[in-house]
Amino acid sequence: MRIGLPTHSERFGSNLFYSVQKVYELDAGPELDPEFSSPFHVVRQIPHAALHQIEQDMAIVIPVKNEKLRLLEGVLSGIPNACLPIVISNSQREPTDRFQMESLLLNNFCHSAKKKYLLFHQRDPVLASLFADNYQEILDETGLIRNGKAEGMIAATALAHALGKKYIGFIDSDNYFPGSVLEYVRLYATGFAQAQTDHTMVRIQWQSKPKIVDNELYFARLGRVTRITNQYLNQLLSLHSGFETDLLLTGNAGEHAMSMDLALKLSFASGFAVETNHFISLLEYFGGVLPSPFPDVMKQGVEVFQMQSRNPHFHDFSKGDDHLNEMIEASLAVIYHSQLCPKVLKKQIQEELKRLKILRAGQEPQAPRQYKPLLNLDVNKWRKTLDWSRYGNYQGL
Ligand code: GDD
């Protein structure tokens, strides 16, 4: 990978947010070109070997809920062989058992490709039992893991931790371009390869999101949810620092990755609030405004890389306006309910949600359910007691 250096950055306490980095070449070749080490060079080279090494330590979580099997297969084909895909499915079991279909697909595909994988159903009672001791908040009244994308992500993150993975990345399963999946994973590894600290996050900004306008292909830069989320996150940073910024361009990026050290120390929010909540959790825990539960991390610092992909992001966009509105409300609700949100910003968020006809005048967005960091789960016990062979072909235990 040949990647442009970030041109500027913003600090918020111990968090260092870098401006978006641009890809110059997706493949930098195997040899390290010493010219790129010059402090005057604006492009950095990350050779194959460095990316491969990181990928070996990385689990890629693929949340699935009733997606087309062809898309899921395409996503799998884009994940580098060195990574461990963990598919967490909340697909229907009845009347048609879509989970069973996913299971057959993964088994056949990964057998042919000699690709390792794990597949869990989010509502599997055995999976739920792992959380019964000290993470009951993720269980619903039936004792199973709650529905929702975030809840699937939390479970899969804990499983990757149990397997000793050092990095965790997320890729949605409704992606039409396997080439973009490969690029996202390579960008995650590129971010981690540049990190100076153990607590690192990498977020993808799609180069474009194509749609059809007037029978022509139109390469939009930002989706509606993304644009609105970024605006209010930047506003939050600006109000605290006193200097206006527009540096954050990846506020609710579903495609993002974290070092496990960081993933275990952030709080999660339910459903589609999860990504924006990661930002808010960074600001609350490491921003220096509120007391930090992790003083060691405060000293060392946290880095957030934003990487712009070359591939367009083409996913299933037939989910409708209600779905987008649900995501906007969830995303802004996390900002609104943060202890860091000033009154003036709360008012602006309420007005925005009213303008979009998501809320009525004076109504507050509903606070998403919050989940504590995963740090204190006793995953050593899981490693020994769980019959991993029931969940795929991963031999790395
Ligand atoms: N395991 C699991 N459980 N997966 C789920 C669930 C669930 O309850 N609900 C949805 N998913 C899966 C979907 O199958 C898809 O692969 C992925 O999660 C994202 O869900 P979508 O409903 O397709 O979201 P989106 O494409 O509209 O929005 C995406 O991009 C946003 C940024 O623009 C998501 O990644 C959002 O979280 C993100 O903020």
Side-chain angles (χ1 to χ4, degrees):
M1 184 75 72
R2 290 189 177 171
I3 187 97
L5 294 175
T7 52
H8 53 297
S9 60
E10 289 279 350
R11 271 212 172 272
F12 191 97
S14 297
N15 295 296
L16 186 55
F17 298 103
Y18 295 108
S19 61
V20 168
Q21 294 180 256
K22 166 177 156 176
V23 173
Y24 280 78
E25 269 192 318
L26 286 166
D27 188 322
E31 311 294 339
L32 196 57
D33 180 340
E35 228 179 282
F36 284 103
S37 312
S38 152
F40 302 107
H41 216 292
V42 294
V43 176
R44 188 174 274 156
Q45 180 192 16
I46 319 279
H48 285 161
L51 297 179
H52 181 72
Q53 203 177 358
I54 292 170
E55 286 165 10
Q56 284 177 314
D57 289 325
M58 197 187 310
I60 296 293
V61 173
I62 308 171
V64 191
K65 189 171 177 191
N66 302 329
E67 301 293 353
K68 297 180 183 103
L69 292 177
R70 245 173 237 260
L71 296 192
L72 177 59
E73 182 179 318
V75 168
L76 282 170
S77 73
I79 293 181
N81 186 269
C83 298
L84 171 66
I86 303 181
V87 180
I88 180 86
S89 170
N90 198 13
S91 297
Q92 68 183 51
R93 308 295 314 254
E94 286 172 352
T96 315
D97 192 345
R98 292 199 58 88
F99 177 66
Q100 174 71 3
M101 293 180 197
E102 292 161 2
S103 184
L104 282 174
L105 166 80
L106 274 146
N107 193 12
N108 292 338
F109 181 85
C110 293
H111 176 75
S112 305
K114 286 189 74 181
K115 191 176 180 68
K116 49 190 177 285
Y117 78 95
L118 289 171
L119 166 68
F120 292 83
H121 197 277
Q122 196 164 327
R123 308 282 288 167
D124 178 340
V126 177
L127 186 58
S129 69
L130 301 175
F131 294 87
D133 280 352
N134 65 354
Y135 210 84
Q136 294 96 339
E137 57 265 55
I138 201 172
L139 307 179
D140 66 12
E141 51 300 336
T142 67
L144 300 179
I145 294 191
R146 293 177 194 279
N147 294 310
K149 181 189 168 201
E151 288 69 7
M153 288 167 62
I154 294 171
T157 304
L159 290 164
H161 174 41
L163 295 169
K165 292 291 165 189
K166 289 194 197 146
Y167 305 102
I168 181 127
F170 302 93
I171 306 259
D172 287 349
S173 57
D174 61 343
N175 189 322
Y176 278 85
F177 288 171
S180 70
V181 173
L182 176 63
E183 185 184 7
Y184 297 154
V185 178
R186 289 273 140 88
L187 286 173
Y188 296 161
T190 302
F192 295 128
Q194 299 176 88
Q196 308 287 314
T197 63
D198 297 334
H199 296 83
T200 310
M201 185 182 281
V202 187
R203 307 182 68 104
I204 306 292
Q205 187 208 18
W206 308 321
Q207 216 261 0
S208 64
K209 205 172 169 185
K211 44 186 170 183
I212 310 286
V213 177
D214 266 351
N215 290 328
E216 301 274 352
L217 253 186
Y218 178 72
F219 290 85
R221 289 286 308 277
L222 300 173
R224 188 153 63 103
V225 189
T226 310
R227 194 167 31 78
I228 292 174
T229 304
N230 290 340
Q231 180 189 333
Y232 287 94
L233 275 176
N234 280 314
Q235 181 80 334
L236 179 64
L237 286 192
S238 308
L239 287 169
H240 276 275
S241 70
F243 290 89
E244 192 172 11
T245 182
D246 55 3
L247 183 116
L248 299 182
L249 292 174
T250 55
N252 65 328
E255 270 64 35
H256 69 288
M258 288 177 273
S259 61
M260 192 56 83
D261 283 335
L262 180 62
L264 297 176
K265 295 184 185 97
L266 292 185
S267 65
F268 286 78
S270 56
F272 290 105
V274 60
E275 286 94 10
T276 310
N277 186 74
H278 276 153
F279 255 123
I280 295 297
S281 190
L282 286 171
L283 303 181
E284 289 182 348
Y285 287 175
F286 311 117
V289 179
L290 304 171
S292 175
F294 305 108
D296 289 353
V297 185
M298 285 294 290
K299 272 195 204 131
Q300 209 204 46
V302 176
E303 288 168 287
V304 180
F305 294 90
Q306 304 186 93
M307 324 285 271
Q308 189 183 69
S309 64
R310 281 281 166 184
N311 280 279
H313 188 81
F314 196 77
H315 70 144
D316 189 355
F317 48 77
S318 60
K319 294 176 183 168
D321 271 359
D322 286 351
H323 177 63
L324 292 185
N325 286 346
E326 185 197 336
M327 288 204 291
I328 292 171
E329 181 178 352
S331 204
L332 294 189
V334 181
I335 305 175
Y336 183 95
H337 289 285
S338 167
Q339 285 185 64
L340 294 176
C341 187
K343 263 195 188 142
V344 55
L345 189 57
K346 281 184 190 262
K347 198 155 180 283
Q348 288 171 14
I349 290 175
Q350 274 183 309
E351 275 161 15
E352 178 76 65
L353 291 168
K354 191 178 125 212
R355 193 181 61 78
L356 295 167
K357 299 194 170 55
I358 296 175
L359 294 184
R360 287 191 299 277
Q363 231 185 332
E364 291 199 318
Q366 204 187 336
R369 188 187 300 278
Q370 285 282 340
Y371 297 102
K372 65 181 178 236
L374 291 163
L375 193 65
N376 294 323
L377 281 177
D378 183 7
V379 294
N380 278 332
K381 201 164 78 186
W382 303 9
R383 203 172 294 142
K384 294 183 205 121
T385 54
L386 191 66
D387 178 5
W388 295 86
S389 65
R390 280 189 54 209
Y391 299 99
N393 61 5
Y394 183 53
Q395 305 292 328
L397 295 157

